[in-house]
Amino acid sequence: MRKSAIWLVAILFSGNVQAAGTGALIDGTDVESVINVARDYGSATYGTQQSGAPKIIARTDGINYVGFFQNCTESRVCDDLNLYAGFLGIKPTLEQINAWNASKRFGRAYIDPDGDAAVEMDINLKNGISPANLSASFAIWRLLLGQFVAYVEPRVP
């Protein structure tokens, strides 16, 4: 029984060493690192929400979006990032939005109060995310935005 306990500790310790070797985690206190990852996919600058929480003002492949840091404490420790793009004047039907949502795993689309199309995706930052996983999330967002615009944008015959 003693050997199995030592073996278990050795396995757990080796996992921690591997995790530590993958690079520092990025969390909701490191807004600049999040913005730097966003810049790998287009332009991104720092902004501030009305609440004082940080936000990202960004553009990828010609599409504007905003990243709202959410669930922030007064010391600006934020648990998650909400990526949002709204499309003024693009007015999909409810059936189009429902079909989109039924066919996509990441992100969600909706019709805003003015009848315009919107799409969002959340990224969990609580307890940190690896730079590679954060980059993968922004890559998914970029792909999602392009697909959404192609889906809802009016076509000229």
Side-chain angles (χ1 to χ4, degrees):
M1 186 174 263
R2 191 172 200 187
K3 277 186 176 181
S4 62
I6 293 170
W7 186 236
L8 178 61
V9 169
I11 290 171
L12 292 174
F13 180 72
S14 69
N16 288 338
V17 170
Q18 289 175 346
T22 61
L25 297 179
I26 298 171
D27 65 16
T29 63
D30 194 356
V31 174
E32 201 55 44
S33 289
V34 176
I35 290 173
N36 284 336
V37 171
R39 285 183 183 135
D40 290 339
Y41 297 91
S43 63
T45 59
Y46 181 91
T48 305
Q49 299 176 55
Q50 288 181 341
S51 66
K55 71 178 179 182
I56 302 170
I57 303 161
R59 184 175 178 89
T60 187
D61 296 334
I63 305 166
N64 295 323
Y65 71 94
V66 180
F68 296 103
F69 286 83
Q70 300 285 318
N71 298 309
C72 304
T73 65
E74 289 181 25
S75 58
R76 295 187 188 213
V77 175
C78 304
D79 289 344
D80 51 84
L81 178 66
N82 171 255
L83 302 174
Y84 165 85
F87 300 92
L88 295 174
I90 296 179
K91 302 193 180 289
T93 66
L94 183 58
E95 291 78 18
Q96 285 175 301
I97 293 297
N98 285 340
W100 169 267
N101 286 329
S103 68
K104 300 298 178 193
R105 288 185 52 212
F106 296 96
R108 63 197 168 280
Y110 57 92
I111 299 170
D112 74 10
D114 296 322
D116 299 317
V119 64
E120 297 184 353
M121 186 177 111
D122 295 315
I123 301 173
N124 181 4
L125 300 174
K126 189 169 183 139
N127 300 317
I129 183 172
S130 74
N133 280 346
L134 183 58
S135 181
S137 293
F138 274 98
I140 290 168
W141 174 245
R142 180 186 199 177
L143 178 66
L144 182 78
L145 278 177
Q147 290 174 343
F148 187 71
V149 167
Y151 180 74
V152 298
E153 193 171 63
R155 302 282 191 264
V156 177

